[in-house]
Amino acid sequence: MSNRQWLIFAACFLIAIALPFLFDSRFAVTLLAKMGIGIIFALSYNQLLGGTGLMSFGHAVYFGSGGFMALHILRWMDAGALPIPIPLLPLAGGLAGLALAALFGLVAARRGATVFAMITLGLGEVMLLLGNQSDRLFGGEGGIDGDRMQGPVWFGLDFAQKLDVYWLILFWLGVAVLAVIQMQRAPMGLVMAAHRENPDRLPALGLDPASIRYKAFCFAGFLAGTAGALFALLFEIMSAEIFSLEESAHILLMASLGGPAPILGPVLGGIVVTLIRSLAGLWSEAWPLYLAILMILVLHLAPGGLSGLVTQLRRRPPSPLRLLGGSGVLLAMILAIELLYRLLLTAPDMPLMALGPVLLDARQGSSWAGIIIIAAAAIFAWHKGRHRHD
Amino acid sequence: MDIWLTILANGLVYGLLLFLMASGLTLILSLMGILNFAHGAFFMLGAYFGYEIGRHGGFWTALLLAPLLTGMAGALVERWGLRPFKKYGPRESHGAELLFTFALTFILQEITVLFWGRLPVEAAIPAWLQQQIPLTSGFSLSAYKILLVLLSMTALVSLWAFLSKSRFGLLIEAARSNPDMVAALGHDTGRINNIVFGVGTGLAGLAGAAGGPILVTEPGMAASLGAILFVVIITGGLGSLKGAFIACLLVGWLQHGAVAVDISLSDIIGDGLQHLDFSLARASALLPYLMLILVLVLRPEGLAGRKGG
């Protein structure tokens, strides 16, 4: 890494250290901590997606296994078993994620991209089913809980507050970033990139694609387990719902939104998706729908994700008409969705929505006519503003 | 003896329904190279359309209209959602299409919850179809399930006839093996893709409309059945209808077998089973995945797949 990149890296870390002092409410600190965990999780996922060209639809499984391992260790410590320093628990979680990935990878890594995706989905379903059935391992509906205020005090951290966990998260985030950087430069990382670019050519070069997939899978599992353990330390509880398809979908969204760049992508994706997930629920009931629509928008309009957006915008700057049209379509869509949600779910008797001075009513044809007009005009502008080669 | 007939019959009903879906998915996959992650969601759409139309227009109208509506929705999705990805070239586009259909599953699920809520809905079966018809002494099957078997077989035979005997069907088969040549001969491959996607999703919609009344119609059915669908097509071998058929029947018989055998085991063992952390019946949902793992380890290309797939 060049000196300039090291400087940027250091600057980002300084900002990350300063943030909880700027935003010191409990909500903000929790949000920052969740972002940090999300970035580590996304780093692990991008090793598969952007690094090796593998799409996993069951990655939450390794995250969860790390979390459960951490919580079980906390319970053993509470019961008087050998004490493990809390800051090392993410390592234990990582090993749990590695172990599970090593096991599942035997099945999943055999086949290439498409089949791999389906197998990981199936494995995710298996863990969800197992998780809901086994009370001893995964705690059933209530989940497993633990107490992180145990063991010796490190650097003045007794882990009484979430802020203490945040510092631990930053530490492990640094470790994860360094690991990823090293992986990029190592022969393993280059071979993973080769698999991404042209998997069929690898046997001709004497490389075994399945073996590459397996090792990448294990590495990603380790990092995911680390993130999971940190999550468990932050919230001191975890249930089998962590294995659900929704969780795996969210990590997929983080990586897609962020883009394939090994570090910048997960950072951007982790921050943005965590923000949306935490805050969007405050503004709209329809936030899961918005997340899915966001994913589709990214796929269609910005396939390189946020990290590739700058390059994309520079290469093909969108015309003002296009921007106007696009915003109009988004506005019309959001209005329609919000009105529908009010009419059908939240306030069937008074489905109203205030947009500045205008009051929209889902029962009034005029509101819907207005939305349709906006949409039609926007689509027209979008179409008119398209690039010659689109 | 009766328990085996029950397993055989119920497994057959379930397996055929599954194959209605799997055949559509396989068609789409082998023609367009797209793995339609949203196929379970189209099944769900079919079930909900069937429920809603059934409430207002009667059972047979629902059975006719729901698949058509689902197929049309599929065609629209293909035209506006999937086709733009083709410009990226075969490799990148497959990844983007996969992610698109994945996100589509959630969109369809949320829309369903918006209109019909999160709780299961009861799709109605006409009274005359609810009666049990005795097949042998001591074993009877509900008329509805017999209808399902007949319906599935008719649909599948029609599909086979369409693909192998009709002109357009032959065009589809040709496009499966060499789409560029078909396009060079002057045929509109875009329209072929569109129709195949519509037919495939329509089949899923038919399975949903027909199967909804006996399965639980709720938004989660998209994800749970979607996962089983993938188990089935990998086990059978990607792109092979024959393999998918065998795999579907296997899954049907495995799951119903496990549930039924558990009932008889508890008659014999009684209280002993309560000490186990989980029973065979509760584990029955896991069995298809275990079967998948077994097949992947022993014969990775699937039951009827070709090596190197």
Side-chain angles (χ1 to χ4, degrees):
Chain A
M1 243 182 30
S2 67
N3 286 333
R4 198 177 83 119
Q5 285 173 315
W6 277 114
L7 275 176
I8 297 178
F9 186 59
C12 288
F13 251 89
L14 285 175
I15 295 176
I17 292 174
L19 280 174
F21 297 107
L22 290 171
F23 304 97
D24 58 359
S25 72
R26 276 185 66 186
F27 178 75
V29 171
T30 311
L31 186 62
L32 287 172
K34 275 162 62 170
M35 279 192 221
I37 293 174
I39 295 176
I40 302 179
F41 196 14
L43 279 170
S44 98
Y45 193 85
N46 227 7
Q47 284 301 294
L48 287 176
L49 184 62
T52 319
L54 292 171
M55 228 179 283
S56 168
F57 286 92
H59 207 58
V61 162
Y62 313 99
F63 183 84
S65 67
F68 279 113
M69 175 60 99
L71 287 169
H72 279 298
I73 291 179
L74 282 178
R75 295 185 101 172
W76 292 335
M77 283 166 62
D78 210 15
L82 56 102
I84 298 181
I86 300 281
L88 285 185
L89 274 185
L91 199 60
L95 289 173
L98 175 66
L100 199 62
L103 180 66
F104 282 169
L106 291 172
V107 172
R110 283 170 160 246
R111 306 283 299 276
T114 316
V115 182
F116 174 85
M118 290 191 278
I119 296 174
T120 53
L121 182 74
L123 289 169
E125 283 290 303
V126 168
M127 285 305 285
L128 186 61
L129 287 169
L130 277 177
N132 281 326
Q133 285 191 8
S134 171
D135 283 346
R136 262 172 303 168
L137 273 177
F138 301 114
E141 273 195 32
I144 302 263
D145 60 356
D147 178 13
R148 65 174 183 247
M149 288 186 62
Q150 294 182 61
V153 176
W154 287 67
F155 302 102
L157 296 176
D158 61 354
F159 295 107
Q161 304 173 24
K162 287 201 162 70
L163 185 60
D164 300 337
V165 186
Y166 179 72
W167 302 128
L168 191 65
I169 291 173
L170 273 190
F171 171 72
W172 283 104
L173 179 57
V175 170
V177 168
L178 286 173
V180 165
I181 292 174
Q182 268 312 105
M183 183 57 109
Q184 295 302 116
R185 300 150 130 191
M188 182 66 211
L190 293 171
V191 143
M192 277 161 57
H195 182 279
R196 174 189 69 228
E197 294 300 324
N198 199 341
D200 299 320
R201 185 146 162 75
L202 292 174
L205 295 167
L207 298 165
D208 178 15
S211 155
I212 296 169
R213 287 193 286 262
Y214 183 71
K215 290 182 198 155
F217 197 65
C218 291
F219 181 57
F222 177 80
L223 284 178
T226 313
L230 286 166
F231 185 89
L233 283 176
L234 185 66
F235 292 112
E236 294 181 297
I237 193 166
M238 187 172 271
S239 80
E241 279 311 301
I242 205 81
F243 296 137
S244 69
L245 188 60
E246 276 78 16
E247 291 294 332
S248 291
H250 282 142
I251 184 62
L252 179 59
L253 180 62
M254 274 192 219
S256 303
L257 186 60
I263 299 187
L264 185 61
V267 167
L268 290 173
I271 291 177
V272 171
V273 173
T274 309
L275 267 176
I276 297 179
R277 259 184 98 173
S278 302
L279 297 178
L282 299 173
W283 288 322
S284 170
E285 284 291 316
W287 69 268
L289 185 58
Y290 288 135
L291 275 183
I293 293 177
L294 177 65
M295 177 131 179
I296 291 187
L297 285 177
V298 168
L299 283 173
H300 273 294
L301 299 173
L306 287 175
S307 57
L309 198 59
V310 175
T311 324
Q312 186 183 331
L313 287 176
R314 242 191 298 168
R315 218 175 343 136
R316 272 239 214 123
S319 69
L321 262 182
R322 198 102 156 134
L323 283 174
L324 196 64
S327 322
V329 169
L330 274 179
L331 178 67
M333 192 172 58
I334 293 176
L335 289 177
I337 291 176
E338 290 297 319
L339 276 185
L340 270 178
Y341 264 75
R342 280 163 175 71
L343 181 66
L344 294 170
L345 276 181
T346 55
D349 304 319
M350 270 223 327
L352 304 171
M353 184 175 167
L355 188 70
V358 181
L359 188 68
L360 294 168
D361 188 333
R363 297 162 300 187
Q364 302 275 28
S366 56
S367 299
W368 290 108
I371 293 179
I372 293 177
I373 291 173
I374 295 177
I379 293 175
F380 181 70
W382 171 267
H383 201 65
K384 262 299 185 171
R386 73 184 188 284
H387 198 267
R388 250 184 316 140
H389 303 302
D390 274 344
Chain B
M1 184 57 199
D2 293 337
I3 209 169
W4 296 112
L5 277 178
T6 314
I7 298 175
L8 203 66
N10 284 312
L12 182 68
V13 171
Y14 183 69
L16 280 177
L17 267 183
L18 212 51
F19 187 57
L20 265 183
M21 286 200 278
S23 57
L25 186 60
T26 305
L27 258 186
I28 295 173
L29 181 62
S30 53
L31 175 65
M32 303 164 73
I34 299 175
L35 182 63
N36 183 14
F37 247 94
H39 212 68
F42 285 107
F43 171 84
M44 175 190 69
L45 271 188
Y48 273 92
F49 284 157
Y51 163 74
E52 193 64 33
I53 300 174
R55 279 199 338 179
H56 303 294
F59 176 71
W60 298 103
T61 329
L63 207 56
L64 185 67
L65 281 185
L68 279 175
L69 283 175
T70 316
M72 286 195 320
L76 282 174
V77 160
E78 195 278 333
R79 175 68 184 82
W80 297 107
L82 280 171
R83 201 174 294 188
F85 291 124
K86 285 249 177 290
K87 66 178 186 250
Y88 292 131
R91 212 167 42 89
E92 281 82 17
S93 67
H94 285 332
E97 284 152 357
L98 200 64
L99 288 173
F100 174 81
T101 51
F102 184 66
L104 185 64
T105 309
F106 287 100
I107 292 185
L108 290 176
Q109 226 173 321
E110 288 300 314
I111 294 180
T112 303
V113 166
L114 179 63
F115 283 100
W116 284 285
R118 267 182 215 285
L119 299 173
V121 293
E122 277 280 332
I125 304 179
W128 67 275
L129 282 173
Q130 284 175 29
Q131 48 183 301
Q132 302 280 345
I133 299 190
L135 294 177
T136 68
S137 62
F139 172 68
S140 65
L141 199 59
S142 85
Y144 191 75
K145 289 188 182 164
I146 298 180
L147 174 72
L148 276 183
V149 173
L150 290 173
L151 190 65
S152 314
M153 307 231 67
T154 314
L156 292 166
V157 165
S158 318
L159 182 69
W160 167 81
F162 171 64
L163 283 178
S164 53
K165 306 284 184 222
S166 84
R167 203 182 132 81
F168 196 78
L170 291 174
L171 215 50
I172 293 177
E173 286 295 302
R176 281 207 319 167
S177 31
N178 200 338
D180 297 319
M181 194 58 187
V182 168
L185 286 170
H187 298 288
D188 185 353
T189 44
R191 211 173 65 114
I192 297 177
N193 283 348
N194 195 252
I195 292 181
V196 166
F197 200 84
V199 167
T201 50
L203 282 172
L206 176 63
I214 57 167
L215 302 165
V216 182
T217 303
E218 45 121 22
M221 72 198 311
S224 45
L225 272 156
I228 302 267
L229 214 52
F230 295 137
V231 167
V232 155
I233 61 170
I234 301 179
T235 311
L238 282 184
S240 162
L241 281 169
K242 200 170 30 144
F245 183 63
I246 301 172
C248 285
L249 290 178
L250 277 178
V251 166
W253 284 324
L254 257 181
Q255 284 207 283
H256 282 89
V259 176
V261 166
D262 180 74
I263 299 174
S264 61
L265 261 184
S266 57
D267 289 337
I268 303 170
I269 301 182
D271 293 326
L273 271 181
Q274 282 169 0
H275 295 296
L276 292 171
D277 208 5
F278 46 77
S279 66
L280 192 59
R282 288 168 71 190
S284 68
L286 279 171
L287 288 175
Y289 299 102
L290 292 177
M291 181 180 80
L292 172 67
I293 293 175
L294 201 66
V295 167
L296 279 172
V297 169
L298 296 175
R299 197 187 151 87
E301 67 272 16
L303 294 172
R306 285 173 296 256
K307 276 207 192 304

mmCIF file of all heavy atoms in Angstrom, chain A residues 317-332:
data_model
loop_
_atom_site.group_PDB
_atom_site.id
_atom_site.type_symbol
_atom_site.label_atom_id
_atom_site.label_comp_id
_atom_site.label_asym_id
_atom_site.label_seq_id
_atom_site.Cartn_x
_atom_site.Cartn_y
_atom_site.Cartn_z
ATOM 1 N N PRO A 317 -21.240 11.071 -17.081
ATOM 2 C CA PRO A 317 -22.035 11.933 -16.198
ATOM 3 C C PRO A 317 -23.480 11.992 -16.668
ATOM 4 O O PRO A 317 -23.747 12.194 -17.852
ATOM 5 C CB PRO A 317 -21.344 13.301 -16.331
ATOM 6 C CG PRO A 317 -20.558 13.230 -17.579
ATOM 7 C CD PRO A 317 -20.204 11.798 -17.806
ATOM 8 N N PRO A 318 -24.409 11.805 -15.768
ATOM 9 C CA PRO A 318 -25.815 11.830 -16.174
ATOM 10 C C PRO A 318 -26.262 13.252 -16.482
ATOM 11 O O PRO A 318 -25.850 14.194 -15.826
ATOM 12 C CB PRO A 318 -26.547 11.275 -14.951
ATOM 13 C CG PRO A 318 -25.631 11.497 -13.817
ATOM 14 C CD PRO A 318 -24.236 11.504 -14.340
ATOM 15 N N SER A 319 -27.090 13.370 -17.487
ATOM 16 C CA SER A 319 -27.565 14.692 -17.866
ATOM 17 C C SER A 319 -28.560 15.189 -16.831
ATOM 18 O O SER A 319 -29.167 14.406 -16.107
ATOM 19 C CB SER A 319 -28.216 14.616 -19.240
ATOM 20 O OG SER A 319 -29.412 13.875 -19.140
ATOM 21 N N PRO A 320 -28.756 16.508 -16.755
ATOM 22 C CA PRO A 320 -29.705 17.054 -15.768
ATOM 23 C C PRO A 320 -31.104 16.483 -15.918
ATOM 24 O O PRO A 320 -31.786 16.229 -14.929
ATOM 25 C CB PRO A 320 -29.696 18.564 -16.064
ATOM 26 C CG PRO A 320 -28.418 18.819 -16.750
ATOM 27 C CD PRO A 320 -28.055 17.576 -17.493
ATOM 28 N N LEU A 321 -31.517 16.261 -17.186
ATOM 29 C CA LEU A 321 -32.845 15.690 -17.413
ATOM 30 C C LEU A 321 -32.948 14.319 -16.765
ATOM 31 O O LEU A 321 -33.952 13.960 -16.154
ATOM 32 C CB LEU A 321 -33.101 15.543 -18.921
ATOM 33 C CG LEU A 321 -33.907 16.644 -19.585
ATOM 34 C CD1 LEU A 321 -34.108 16.326 -21.051
ATOM 35 C CD2 LEU A 321 -35.248 16.829 -18.909
ATOM 36 N N ARG A 322 -31.880 13.555 -16.921
ATOM 37 C CA ARG A 322 -31.860 12.215 -16.365
ATOM 38 C C ARG A 322 -31.968 12.256 -14.845
ATOM 39 O O ARG A 322 -32.714 11.488 -14.241
ATOM 40 C CB ARG A 322 -30.527 11.548 -16.776
ATOM 41 C CG ARG A 322 -30.538 10.089 -16.640
ATOM 42 C CD ARG A 322 -30.712 9.459 -17.982
ATOM 43 N NE ARG A 322 -30.185 8.105 -17.973
ATOM 44 C CZ ARG A 322 -30.799 7.063 -18.469
ATOM 45 N NH1 ARG A 322 -31.965 7.219 -19.032
ATOM 46 N NH2 ARG A 322 -30.246 5.889 -18.426
ATOM 47 N N LEU A 323 -31.202 13.169 -14.245
ATOM 48 C CA LEU A 323 -31.238 13.286 -12.788
ATOM 49 C C LEU A 323 -32.632 13.693 -12.332
ATOM 50 O O LEU A 323 -33.187 13.150 -11.379
ATOM 51 C CB LEU A 323 -30.215 14.325 -12.327
ATOM 52 C CG LEU A 323 -28.767 13.854 -12.324
ATOM 53 C CD1 LEU A 323 -27.835 15.004 -11.993
ATOM 54 C CD2 LEU A 323 -28.589 12.744 -11.302
ATOM 55 N N LEU A 324 -33.197 14.674 -13.057
ATOM 56 C CA LEU A 324 -34.528 15.149 -12.695
ATOM 57 C C LEU A 324 -35.543 14.012 -12.835
ATOM 58 O O LEU A 324 -36.351 13.758 -11.941
ATOM 59 C CB LEU A 324 -34.915 16.308 -13.622
ATOM 60 C CG LEU A 324 -36.090 17.161 -13.154
ATOM 61 C CD1 LEU A 324 -35.735 17.857 -11.864
ATOM 62 C CD2 LEU A 324 -36.465 18.173 -14.226
ATOM 63 N N GLY A 325 -35.470 13.342 -13.991
ATOM 64 C CA GLY A 325 -36.406 12.247 -14.214
ATOM 65 C C GLY A 325 -36.266 11.155 -13.165
ATOM 66 O O GLY A 325 -37.249 10.653 -12.617
ATOM 67 N N GLY A 326 -35.020 10.793 -12.874
ATOM 68 C CA GLY A 326 -34.805 9.752 -11.885
ATOM 69 C C GLY A 326 -35.359 10.136 -10.527
ATOM 70 O O GLY A 326 -36.023 9.334 -9.862
ATOM 71 N N SER A 327 -35.081 11.374 -10.108
ATOM 72 C CA SER A 327 -35.608 11.814 -8.811
ATOM 73 C C SER A 327 -37.120 11.779 -8.805
ATOM 74 O O SER A 327 -37.752 11.409 -7.813
ATOM 75 C CB SER A 327 -35.138 13.232 -8.493
ATOM 76 O OG SER A 327 -33.824 13.415 -8.910
ATOM 77 N N GLY A 328 -37.704 12.193 -9.938
ATOM 78 C CA GLY A 328 -39.163 12.209 -10.010
ATOM 79 C C GLY A 328 -39.757 10.829 -9.872
ATOM 80 O O GLY A 328 -40.741 10.609 -9.157
ATOM 81 N N VAL A 329 -39.141 9.869 -10.552
ATOM 82 C CA VAL A 329 -39.646 8.497 -10.453
ATOM 83 C C VAL A 329 -39.535 8.004 -9.018
ATOM 84 O O VAL A 329 -40.462 7.392 -8.476
ATOM 85 C CB VAL A 329 -38.868 7.570 -11.414
ATOM 86 C CG1 VAL A 329 -39.191 6.129 -11.121
ATOM 87 C CG2 VAL A 329 -39.192 7.899 -12.847
ATOM 88 N N LEU A 330 -38.393 8.269 -8.399
ATOM 89 C CA LEU A 330 -38.208 7.843 -7.005
ATOM 90 C C LEU A 330 -39.262 8.472 -6.104
ATOM 91 O O LEU A 330 -39.865 7.807 -5.249
ATOM 92 C CB LEU A 330 -36.823 8.251 -6.515
ATOM 93 C CG LEU A 330 -35.698 7.270 -6.808
ATOM 94 C CD1 LEU A 330 -34.385 7.810 -6.284
ATOM 95 C CD2 LEU A 330 -35.982 5.928 -6.160
ATOM 96 N N LEU A 331 -39.478 9.772 -6.312
ATOM 97 C CA LEU A 331 -40.460 10.466 -5.479
ATOM 98 C C LEU A 331 -41.840 9.846 -5.641
ATOM 99 O O LEU A 331 -42.528 9.540 -4.666
ATOM 100 C CB LEU A 331 -40.498 11.954 -5.862
ATOM 101 C CG LEU A 331 -41.508 12.797 -5.099
ATOM 102 C CD1 LEU A 331 -41.107 12.894 -3.644
ATOM 103 C CD2 LEU A 331 -41.608 14.190 -5.710
ATOM 104 N N ALA A 332 -42.232 9.656 -6.914
ATOM 105 C CA ALA A 332 -43.560 9.089 -7.158
ATOM 106 C C ALA A 332 -43.677 7.709 -6.524
ATOM 107 O O ALA A 332 -44.693 7.366 -5.906
ATOM 108 C CB ALA A 332 -43.811 9.002 -8.663
#
